[in-house]
Every structure is written in C-alpha cells, then in structure tokens.
Amino acid sequence: MTAIDVTIRIGGVFASDRPSVVRTVLGSCIAVCLFDPVSRVGGMNHYMLPSSEDVLHYDDPARFGLQAMEVLLGNMQRLGARRVRLVAKIFGGAHVVATNSADNMVAVRNIEFIREYVREEGLQVVSQDLGGHAPRAVHFYTHTGKALMKLLGKNASPEIAQVERKVVPRGSIPMDSAITLFDD
C-alpha cells in the first residue's frame, strides 16, 4: 500500500490508520506526533499558541495547543487508538522571531504548555527536540511512529518568522524512539 503524503500548516491536524507521511515546518510553533503501536494509528498537529481567550472567533481553533491536542486525540481514538497506549514525539518552539523579548515568549509559552499537557494527561514522551533558534522540518510516519527531523539553515528563519508574524496576534502570545536527522 502506497503511503499518503500530507503537509500540514498552522492549525493543521491529521490522523490516519493507513500508511501516511505527515510533513510540516516549524518555527516557534509546536508539532506533536502521537502513535499507538497496537492499532498502528498515528497523527500530528501543528499549533502556534498554547491558548486563546477568544478561540470561538477563529475558523481553525486547532491553531491553539489545547484545541489541537484534543482534536488530534479525538481523531485518533475514532480510528481505533487507545489513549493509554499513545506515545508522543514533540518538536518546535524555536526563537525565530528576532524583534523583542515579548515575541520570543511565544516559543517559551508553547514549550511550557506542551510539557505540562503531556504530564497532566499521562502521555509518554519518547523523544523531543524543542527550543533553540533554528526552524525545523518534521516528517512523521503514521503507521510506524518514526519521525524524521531536520534543523533548517539560517536562510529559512526570516521566511518562517515572517509567516509567524502574520498569524500570531499581537499581545498573544516497536516504535523507534529516536529522532532521526535527515539530509536533503
């Protein structure tokens, strides 16, 4: 069976019980990859902020961590995954917006949110790559739980920072457990 190739962006959530490769590029955003090794259901989300006071006014509430996690978990459970078996791989939270310390707090808040969320929900984190200053490309294989991650060069940072400035509201701020780095 040929794998489905899917790219998600900010607010994107994808889960599948079929072989799929989910791709995304992250700056200060976070992507969470979840996998159930028994049902072989996997999925990924991509959120830009931990939460919003006014999430109902957004067309895609999965831009926010809490909603993105709940949508991903719900979609995976509908496909046969069991929450107690899920393992997580977490990526992102880079400081790519070099304007002022308030903008860089987005990355810090995203990392704090996801660490607290997985702890409170009892999700097992088998690997993570968070923080730093470089954007990341992530590829996740939903049917095996394998994640590939590549740090992108300095040339990618301004472009990703520009995208994030447009979407981040001002004032808001047997699974292989290793992360595999890949080349072009």
Side-chain angles (χ1 to χ4, degrees):
M1 181 183 295
T2 305
I4 300 167
D5 196 6
V6 177
T7 299
I8 63 172
R9 291 177 177 74
I10 295 170
V13 177
F14 180 83
S16 183
D17 58 356
R18 297 183 184 171
S20 304
V21 181
V22 189
R23 305 168 194 272
T24 200
V25 175
L26 304 163
S28 62
C29 294
I30 298 285
V32 177
C33 305
L34 295 177
F35 180 66
D36 178 337
V38 175
S39 67
R40 304 193 65 77
V41 171
M44 178 196 287
N45 64 24
H46 177 154
Y47 71 84
M48 72 172 185
L49 292 169
S51 64
S52 171
E53 300 291 320
D54 199 13
V55 77
L56 296 177
H57 286 92
Y58 286 91
D59 292 335
D60 53 351
R63 287 176 168 224
F64 304 99
L66 182 60
Q67 289 78 14
M69 290 304 299
E70 295 303 316
V71 170
L72 178 58
L73 286 163
N75 289 351
M76 290 181 65
Q77 289 173 321
R78 279 190 286 286
L79 292 169
R82 297 213 33 229
R83 198 175 183 124
V84 297
R85 297 187 302 235
L86 294 176
V87 290
K89 294 184 179 183
I90 308 168
F91 304 93
H95 299 281
V96 297
V97 179
T99 55
N100 64 44
S101 61
D103 287 330
N104 282 329
M105 286 303 295
V106 170
V108 171
R109 288 177 46 221
N110 280 338
I111 292 169
E112 288 172 351
F113 166 79
I114 198 58
R115 285 182 173 157
E116 182 177 339
Y117 184 91
V118 296
R119 182 183 52 76
E120 286 183 6
E121 294 298 320
L123 296 173
Q124 178 187 6
V125 178
V126 294
S127 54
Q128 61 185 328
D129 191 80
L130 299 167
H133 296 278
R136 296 161 172 85
V138 178
H139 297 182
F140 181 64
Y141 295 78
T142 62
H143 56 295
T144 66
K146 183 175 184 176
L148 303 177
M149 192 270 315
K150 179 180 180 179
L151 292 175
L152 302 177
K154 291 180 182 178
N155 293 339
S157 291
E159 181 180 323
I160 291 170
Q162 182 178 17
V163 169
E164 289 189 3
R165 276 191 210 101
K166 287 181 183 177
V167 296
V168 175
R170 282 279 177 223
S172 303
I173 306 256
M175 174 174 162
D176 176 8
S177 64
I179 297 171
T180 306
L181 302 178
F182 61 98
D183 295 319
D184 291 272

